Amino acid sequence: MVTTSPAQIVGIVLPAYNEGKVIGQVLDELPRKLTIDGKTFEVRIIVVNDASDDSTVHEIIKRRNVTLINHILNSGAGAATRTGLHLAKDVGCNYVLTMDADGQHSASDVRKLINAIVKGNSDFIIGSRLKLQKGNMPTVKKVGNIGLGIITFVLLGVYASDTQSGLKAMNKKALNTISFHSNDYAFCSEMIWSAHKARLRIKELPIEAIYTDYSLSRGQKNITGALDIIKQLIKRRFLHLINE
Amino acid sequence: MNKYTILIVFNLPFVVFGIFSAIARYKENSLGRLSLLTRLFFWTFIGAGIIFAQQIYNFLIRNDLTNSQPLSLADVVLVTGVSFCFFLSIRLYSRLDNTERKLSDLQEKLSIMLSDDKSNE
């Protein structure tokens, strides 16, 4: 008797807040099925709408094969990512990729990270926008990201060239191990810290950063955003010392 | 009663309570080893400062490291207030953190439950 093992599932988690203008195109470009080394993978796209008040939900429900979760309260990118990862775990995803919903990442980089994580040489992969010269990341953002990488190293003891990258991939082991409590953008650094503490194999892959006028107007504000992240990281470090 | 004794009588209960609550939470598994050690170190440091306040003051005077007046009753009140604030802030900070986590957890579970896996297949 010939038995066929069920296709493995790759989850793609997108936290979205007021991304109505671009999220449709982002979802359209994502693969629904992948074949890697002769193995077929079912792709499960999970969008966590973080209480958007624009057309985000409308754009999502028009797309097929997309799971939509609505946050009741606007809680931040970290909280939305955590909800998406929670569902990915519940539905039994073997691999999970997180990405921004503002069109900052290319579909080819998404495939590249999925390929790399499926190959199995690492548990957690960070797509680094600073390792590739290609792309149009503004200088102020580059400097900010380098600075945040150094601050993350000083506070949390783990270094990554692009701690704030939204494009990350993880396998089941990492999905079950990584935990973070930051609700806002500090979750990116906290995820890496959690992976480091769990002694997971962390790798960085160069990816392209696509900045448009739209994506520049979204996301973190340069200086206040960076200061908020630093404040959150200090708070997290302190709470880790007294309350974990 | 000696002012230093009054200092100990008023402040040591906070230290003892801080130490015991850290140990109790560790035993309940709601506090990790690192946090337990940090809290024990913190409260022991405060406790030692209170118990040996007179010796510390004498040492500082002998070595010309301070020219402040010996302990007054007003100082005792002030130090007690500071100890109480330390105690309260640690307690409030950890409670606030726990509440934030529970709220996030609730929102997470509720959102997933309400979404009922509406995959547009």
Side-chain angles (χ1 to χ4, degrees):
Chain A
M1 195 170 83
V2 180
T3 54
T4 51
S5 56
Q8 295 206 314
I9 308 171
V10 177
I12 300 182
V13 172
L14 297 98
Y17 176 65
N18 287 349
E19 305 285 7
K21 282 184 186 164
V22 291
I23 195 155
Q25 195 193 335
V26 172
L27 294 175
D28 289 341
E29 286 173 3
L30 291 176
R32 283 356 186 222
K33 212 159 238 182
L34 281 167
T35 306
I36 301 164
D37 292 339
K39 264 172 134 180
T40 306
F41 293 85
E42 184 194 319
V43 177
R44 180 113 186 202
I45 300 169
I46 300 165
V47 184
V48 183
N49 165 41
D50 196 21
S52 301
D53 45 27
D54 69 345
S55 59
T56 303
V57 172
H58 183 69
E59 290 297 326
I60 297 165
I61 55 176
K62 279 199 289 189
R63 266 76 196 179
R64 294 178 67 79
N65 297 320
V66 175
T67 302
L68 170 66
I69 302 175
N70 285 304
H71 264 187
I72 303 152
L73 302 168
N74 175 254
S75 310
T81 305
R82 199 166 46 233
T83 302
L85 293 177
H86 189 143
L87 182 70
K89 211 187 288 182
D90 285 355
V91 298
C93 288
N94 303 86
Y95 304 95
V96 178
L97 184 118
T98 64
M99 67 180 286
D100 295 340
D102 61 359
Q104 198 191 116
H105 308 300
S106 71
S108 62
D109 283 330
V110 168
R111 283 191 171 83
K112 183 166 141 184
L113 256 76
I114 295 175
N115 262 303
I117 198 79
V118 167
K119 302 260 188 225
N121 297 323
S122 33
D123 301 313
F124 184 67
I125 301 176
I126 306 158
S128 172
R129 296 162 298 179
L130 296 169
K131 286 209 161 185
L132 197 69
Q133 293 309 312
K134 219 169 128 190
N136 57 346
M137 184 187 277
T139 312
V140 66
K141 283 205 180 275
K142 257 184 209 168
V143 173
N145 281 322
I146 293 168
L148 281 171
I150 295 167
I151 288 165
T152 300
F153 176 70
V154 171
L155 287 173
L156 310 179
V158 55
Y159 180 76
S161 65
D162 187 5
T163 53
Q164 296 309 301
S165 170
L167 193 61
K168 298 184 188 80
M170 64 195 86
N171 61 14
K172 204 165 194 164
K173 184 181 171 191
L175 181 64
N176 290 325
T177 317
I178 290 174
S179 71
F180 56 93
H181 303 291
S182 303
N183 285 343
D184 48 24
Y185 286 106
F187 84 95
C188 293
S189 297
E190 210 191 330
M191 267 178 104
I192 301 169
W193 185 33
S194 177
H196 173 71
K197 281 191 292 180
R199 295 172 196 272
L200 297 178
R201 293 168 300 162
I202 305 173
K203 188 178 168 182
E204 286 187 280
L205 275 186
I207 57 160
E208 190 185 351
I210 306 163
Y211 277 94
T212 56
D213 288 342
Y214 174 78
S215 65
L216 282 172
S217 69
R218 311 276 310 137
Q220 310 161 41
K221 298 285 168 280
N222 292 332
I223 296 181
T224 49
L227 288 176
D228 273 347
I229 291 171
I230 296 166
K231 261 190 332 200
Q232 282 297 320
L233 290 178
I234 293 171
K235 180 184 159 191
R236 214 26 69 205
R237 178 81 248 196
F238 176 66
L239 283 170
H240 177 73
L241 275 179
I242 68 156
N243 202 33
E244 271 173 33
Chain B
M1 200 192 280
N2 182 333
K3 276 174 253 173
Y4 286 98
T5 314
I6 296 173
L7 181 79
I8 292 170
V9 168
F10 278 121
N11 286 277
L12 219 52
F14 294 119
V15 174
V16 172
F17 200 80
I19 290 173
F20 275 108
S21 85
I23 294 170
R25 282 196 57 196
Y26 177 70
K27 282 192 173 169
E28 285 167 8
N29 282 330
S30 62
L31 204 64
R33 189 174 290 180
L34 179 68
S35 296
L36 172 76
L37 291 176
T38 311
R39 284 187 184 208
L40 288 183
F41 174 76
F42 176 79
W43 286 118
T44 310
F45 186 72
I46 302 275
I50 288 163
I51 292 168
F52 300 109
Q54 192 163 13
Q55 287 86 336
I56 293 168
Y57 177 73
N58 290 340
F59 171 81
L60 293 174
I61 286 287
R62 253 200 325 273
N63 293 287
D64 208 17
L65 293 167
T66 183
N67 56 3
S68 70
Q69 296 297 309
L71 189 74
S72 69
L73 267 179
D75 292 333
V76 173
V77 174
L78 207 67
V79 172
T80 307
V82 171
S83 293
F84 183 64
C85 284
F86 269 145
F87 177 76
L88 214 61
S89 61
I90 289 188
R91 221 171 150 73
L92 284 179
Y93 216 57
S94 47
R95 284 227 172 148
L96 193 68
D97 186 46
N98 290 340
T99 311
E100 259 179 38
R101 283 183 197 189
K102 279 183 185 164
L103 194 66
S104 296
D105 206 34
L106 178 73
Q107 150 124 310
E108 227 175 279
K109 285 179 180 151
L110 208 59
S111 310
I112 291 174
M113 207 171 76
L114 290 176
S115 83
D116 201 19
D117 196 9
K118 290 187 186 81
S119 183
N120 313 319
E121 284 158 30

